[in-house]
Amino acid sequence: SRLNLQYRLKYHLMGEYGWINDPNGFIYYKGKYHLFYQHNPYEAVWGPMHWGHAISKDLVKWTYLPIALVPGDDFDKDGCFSGSAIEKDDMLCLLYTGHIYTGPDKSKDYKQVQNLAYSKDGINFIKYSKNPVIGEKQIPEEASKKDFRDPKVFKNGQYYYMMLGSNDGNGHGQVLLYKSTNLKYWNFVNILARGNENTGYNWECPDLFELQGKYVLMISTEHIKTRGNDFNGIHSSIYFIGDLDINKGIFKFDIDGYQQIDYGFDFYAPQTTSDKLGRRLMVAWMDMWGEVMPTQERGHNWAGAMTLPREILMANGKLYFRPIKEIENYRKNHYKLTNLMIDGEKKLDTYGDCYELEVEFEGGKAEEFGLKIRKGDNEETILSYKRDESLFIFDRNKSGIGPKGERKINVALKNNKLKLRVFVDVSSVEIFINDGEKVMSGRIYPSKDSVNISVYSKGECKINYLNKWDIVVD
Ligand code: FRU
């Protein structure tokens, strides 16, 4: 049967068919980027998790490889859950969670163990014959006996370390740390970090990396408490900046110092890696648990996309996120305007559903200004700045079918200016504000014909420059 491809993205990674969620095994291995993902290849709903697999030379153009991990062995009977990759002795090694149902109630009758698989060619994976490499007996006191997943492996000195998402059974998320010399035998070291009553009851998908002499711990957390306009998703991904005492297995951090990684609607389970350029790169699932996903309908039969890979930088004690520079190689059809005064709405004489738009507003006295994208009959997605409240707002109430709502964040103007880089890809929008100081990602499902773009203001406002390029990946 012919599938409806209307909402398929053109420069983001998706599954070929069926469902995807978390990015897994993100690594630069033998000259190529590998990205795996949680995948149900049979249906556009979450189900028996496989690891889908794609490779790329530049993080933009991806080639699908055969599915890397298929569930069904004793140690991963009901799912190959999230995990990570590491190179050892020239081999590409995967550490992942085996999900096993132990009774009829799938919401609570399950256990989780950690497994190893390896590959000599980076394509075909062999599951280690003595899996699991970490079983239930190695779960420490003060840790959930069920939620014990998403291994992220890194090397420090001569040892390999594995972090696992967990909780303490009392409503606090935590990260467990294990140590190994060979990826096969693991010893528990310590509880690396623990959250409090505000930071969610279970931590998933931990990630840890060094940046400019500090360490960053990222975690994805279930039901974090809202804080002002922040943390309004069902789940959220947050980071802490701190210091690592690897010998004691302790991450030292300020428990109240957490920040949101992405302030949009659809962003979860980010995973990072580094490459030969020394960059710290991040990719996340650009959807959210519990959200309406119109492409799950018959005729589409797919759901889930990855974000644009982002580079992480640090300045003034916080992280900045920038789209990877390789995306600029795919810019076509440059449209440009400079020094445009507006007071009201002005439709641009360019349009599209797959582009990058870079704009600098100089607020003047305008009380509100911004962009309207994917605009058509009764449809528009509004990206606005409200001066009185110092709020940037991503409004998808009129974006088309699919989920609605708005997300607001505090943004200060700099010399009365606001700079945006907006990436639109058919059914996604990613907004990088003031050079990556804040980022918002979200999915929208407008009609095919809603392709107009306008700039608008309430009161006089100047557009110092606006550049737009189609992004064309052939
Ligand atoms: C996060 C998560 C992980 C788990 C995977 C299952 O989105 O819940 O903790 O390994 O998805 O698909």
Side-chain angles (χ1 to χ4, degrees):
S1 70
R2 240 178 292 153
L3 289 176
N4 182 342
L5 304 178
Q6 180 184 347
Y7 298 114
R8 297 279 294 177
L9 291 77
K10 303 211 166 110
Y11 57 93
H12 288 79
L13 182 63
M14 298 154 290
E16 287 180 279
Y17 184 92
W19 165 276
I20 74 165
N21 55 286
D22 311 358
N24 296 153
F26 190 25
I27 191 171
Y28 185 75
Y29 172 72
K30 294 189 179 167
K32 292 209 172 97
Y33 298 95
H34 287 247
L35 187 56
F36 303 80
Y37 43 88
Q38 288 289 280
H39 185 31
N40 179 356
Y42 303 108
E43 279 182 285
V45 293
W46 189 84
M49 284 295 106
H50 294 54
W51 275 38
H53 187 191
I55 47 166
S56 176
K57 277 187 214 143
D58 67 0
L59 297 158
V60 179
K61 203 168 173 168
W62 293 95
T63 304
Y64 291 112
L65 289 177
I67 284 176
L69 297 174
V70 176
D73 288 290
D74 291 345
F75 50 81
D76 60 17
K77 192 167 66 68
D78 300 300
C80 299
F81 275 18
S82 286
S84 57
I86 194 161
E87 183 173 345
K88 180 177 182 291
D89 304 329
D90 237 28
M91 288 191 292
L92 181 53
C93 300
L94 308 180
L95 277 302
Y96 69 98
T97 297
H99 188 69
I100 300 150
Y101 291 123
T102 53
D105 183 347
K106 292 188 172 177
S107 70
K108 59 180 195 347
D109 301 337
Y110 61 83
K111 64 176 191 178
Q112 300 180 328
V113 298
Q114 316 313 323
N115 299 319
L116 169 67
Y118 53 91
S119 172
K120 288 196 172 123
D121 60 8
I123 301 174
N124 301 291
F125 290 85
I126 299 168
K127 293 177 187 170
Y128 177 48
S129 59
K130 296 195 184 116
N131 276 336
V133 293
I134 303 183
E136 309 137 81
K137 294 203 183 76
Q138 283 164 277
I139 302 177
E141 300 273 294
E142 289 183 66
S144 163
K145 298 289 172 279
K146 287 197 323 207
D147 294 304
F148 171 61
R149 60 177 178 268
D150 310 337
K152 179 82 203 287
V153 179
F154 61 93
K155 203 170 179 194
N156 188 306
Q158 69 201 96
Y159 292 105
Y160 294 96
Y161 290 88
M162 181 197 290
M163 292 180 293
L164 289 169
S166 164
N167 66 72
D168 68 356
N170 282 314
H172 309 133
Q174 62 187 12
V175 178
L176 308 180
L177 187 70
Y178 291 76
K179 185 175 174 179
S180 173
T181 54
N182 55 17
L183 302 178
K184 295 174 179 168
Y185 300 101
W186 292 90
N187 289 308
F188 175 69
V189 181
N190 205 357
I191 292 174
L192 182 77
R194 180 177 287 165
N196 64 18
E197 58 288 351
N198 296 320
T199 56
Y201 65 76
N202 186 46
W203 283 3
E204 308 182 308
C205 304
D207 201 310
L208 179 79
F209 53 89
E210 193 182 351
L211 204 59
Q212 294 175 15
K214 299 296 277 183
Y215 275 83
V216 178
L217 177 68
M218 286 186 166
I219 48 120
S220 291
T221 164
E222 305 192 73
H223 299 278
I224 189 168
K225 282 223 175 88
T226 56
R227 190 170 71 182
N229 290 313
D230 292 354
F231 310 117
N232 288 293
I234 295 178
H235 301 325
S236 290
S237 300
I238 61 174
Y239 71 87
F240 300 93
I241 298 177
D243 295 295
L244 179 69
D245 183 336
I246 195 70
N247 296 320
K248 291 195 184 124
I250 295 175
F251 178 69
K252 292 183 253 168
F253 66 109
D254 166 15
I255 182 63
D256 298 314
Y258 58 94
Q259 304 194 51
Q260 200 160 336
I261 299 174
D262 184 298
Y263 294 80
F265 303 92
D266 298 291
F267 182 96
Y268 199 58
Q271 192 173 81
T272 79
T273 193
S274 60
D275 67 359
K276 68 159 189 262
L277 301 172
R279 299 184 290 185
R280 180 52 56 174
L281 300 165
M282 175 182 78
V283 61
W285 181 39
M286 193 165 44
D287 283 285
M288 180 49 72
W289 294 112
E291 218 164 59
V292 181
M293 298 179 195
T295 60
Q296 290 182 305
E297 300 292 316
R298 264 169 193 284
H300 296 275
N301 292 330
W302 69 279
M306 293 299 157
T307 61
L308 204 60
R310 298 168 189 180
E311 184 175 353
I312 308 178
L313 304 162
M314 192 190 291
N316 315 316
K318 71 180 284 311
L319 300 184
Y320 285 72
F321 302 94
R322 305 249 172 97
I324 37 123
K325 65 176 183 356
E326 288 89 332
I327 191 69
E328 294 168 26
N329 299 333
Y330 294 87
R331 289 170 168 175
K332 294 267 156 62
N333 309 324
H334 188 188
Y335 168 91
K336 178 175 177 152
L337 55 83
T338 48
N339 299 323
L340 176 74
M341 292 299 299
I342 54 165
D343 187 352
E345 185 167 340
K346 183 183 163 33
K347 177 169 169 291
L348 303 184
D349 51 4
T350 182
Y351 61 90
D353 68 357
C354 188
Y355 57 84
E356 171 188 351
L357 195 152
E358 181 182 61
V359 58
E360 186 179 88
F361 292 95
E362 192 161 330
K365 295 200 178 75
E367 60 183 79
E368 179 179 336
F369 53 86
L371 289 170
K372 298 185 179 179
I373 56 173
R374 297 306 309 268
K375 205 172 149 61
D377 289 342
N378 298 315
E379 274 180 10
E380 59 189 13
T381 297
I382 310 171
L383 312 179
S384 64
Y385 187 77
K386 288 200 172 132
R387 181 197 300 277
D388 281 357
E389 301 156 272
S390 298
L391 282 182
F392 184 86
I393 304 170
F394 176 1
D395 177 349
R396 65 174 181 188
N397 282 311
K398 291 205 273 178
S399 292
I401 60 168
K404 309 263 178 280
E406 51 179 31
R407 283 291 151 79
K408 304 176 180 179
I409 50 172
N410 278 93
V411 173
L413 296 183
K414 299 208 164 65
N415 301 320
N416 208 17
K417 291 177 193 160
L418 177 76
K419 215 157 124 186
L420 305 177
R421 266 181 94 185
V422 181
F423 288 84
V424 175
D425 190 359
V426 188
S427 60
S428 72
V429 183
E430 290 161 281
I431 310 147
F432 296 83
I433 301 164
N434 288 342
D435 296 311
E437 180 190 299
K438 288 195 170 140
V439 190
M440 296 177 110
S441 307
R443 304 295 305 280
I444 54 167
Y445 300 87
S447 324
K448 269 202 198 82
D449 309 334
S450 297
V451 289
N452 290 328
I453 306 169
S454 40
V455 288
Y456 82 99
S457 68
K458 293 180 182 166
E460 213 167 68
C461 166
K462 189 169 150 218
I463 290 172
N464 290 335
Y465 58 82
L466 183 149
N467 291 303
K468 179 209 160 234
W469 298 267
D470 295 323
I471 299 288
V472 182
V473 180
D474 33 48

Coordinates of all heavy atoms in Angstrom, one line a residue, residues 337-342 346 348 455 461-465:
L337 N 17.1 40.0 3.4 CA 16.7 41.4 3.5 C 17.4 42.1 4.7 O 17.8 41.4 5.6 CB 15.2 41.6 3.5 CG 14.3 40.9 4.6 CD1 14.3 41.7 5.9 CD2 12.9 40.8 4.0
T338 N 17.6 43.4 4.6 CA 18.3 44.1 5.6 C 17.6 45.4 5.9 O 16.9 46.0 5.1 CB 19.7 44.5 5.2 OG1 19.7 45.1 3.9 CG2 20.6 43.3 5.2
N339 N 17.7 45.9 7.2 CA 17.2 47.2 7.6 C 15.8 47.5 7.2 O 15.5 48.5 6.5 CB 18.1 48.3 7.0 CG 19.5 48.2 7.6 OD1 19.7 47.8 8.7 ND2 20.5 48.4 6.7
L340 N 14.9 46.6 7.6 CA 13.5 46.7 7.3 C 12.8 47.2 8.5 O 12.9 46.6 9.6 CB 13.0 45.4 6.8 CG 11.5 45.3 6.5 CD1 11.1 46.0 5.2 CD2 11.0 43.9 6.5
M341 N 12.1 48.4 8.4 CA 11.2 48.9 9.5 C 9.9 48.2 9.3 O 9.3 48.2 8.2 CB 11.1 50.4 9.4 CG 12.4 51.2 9.7 SD 13.1 50.9 11.3 CE 11.7 51.5 12.4
I342 N 9.3 47.7 10.4 CA 8.0 47.2 10.3 C 7.1 47.8 11.5 O 7.7 48.2 12.5 CB 7.9 45.7 10.4 CG1 8.6 45.1 11.6 CG2 8.4 45.1 9.1 CD1 8.3 43.7 11.9
K346 N 4.1 41.9 8.0 CA 4.6 41.9 6.6 C 4.9 40.5 6.1 O 5.7 39.9 6.7 CB 5.8 42.8 6.5 CG 6.3 43.0 5.0 CD 7.5 43.8 5.0 CE 8.3 43.6 3.6 NZ 7.5 43.4 2.4
L348 N 6.6 37.9 3.8 CA 7.8 37.9 3.0 C 7.6 37.4 1.6 O 6.7 36.5 1.4 CB 8.9 37.0 3.7 CG 9.3 37.4 5.1 CD1 10.4 36.5 5.6 CD2 9.7 38.8 5.3
V455 N 6.9 38.5 9.1 CA 7.4 39.2 10.3 C 6.4 40.2 10.8 O 5.6 40.6 10.0 CB 8.7 39.9 10.0 CG1 9.9 38.9 9.7 CG2 8.6 40.9 8.8
C461 N 9.4 48.5 14.9 CA 10.5 47.5 15.2 C 11.4 47.4 13.9 O 10.8 47.5 12.8 CB 9.9 46.2 15.6 SG 11.0 44.8 15.5
K462 N 12.6 47.2 14.1 CA 13.5 47.1 12.9 C 14.1 45.7 12.8 O 14.4 45.1 13.8 CB 14.7 48.1 13.1 CG 15.5 48.2 11.9 CD 16.5 49.4 12.1 CE 17.8 49.2 11.3 NZ 18.9 49.7 12.0
I463 N 14.1 45.2 11.5 CA 14.8 44.0 11.3 C 16.1 44.3 10.7 O 16.2 44.8 9.6 CB 13.9 43.1 10.4 CG1 12.7 42.7 11.2 CG2 14.7 41.9 9.9 CD1 11.6 42.0 10.4
N464 N 17.2 44.1 11.5 CA 18.5 44.4 11.0 C 18.9 43.6 9.8 O 19.5 44.1 8.9 CB 19.5 44.3 12.2 CG 19.3 45.4 13.2 OD1 18.8 46.4 12.9 ND2 19.7 45.1 14.4
Y465 N 18.6 42.3 9.9 CA 18.8 41.4 8.8 C 17.9 40.2 8.9 O 17.5 39.8 10.0 CB 20.3 41.0 8.6 CG 20.8 40.3 9.8 CD1 20.6 38.9 10.1 CD2 21.6 41.0 10.8 CE1 21.1 38.3 11.2 CE2 22.1 40.3 11.9 CZ 21.9 39.0 12.1 OH 22.4 38.4 13.2

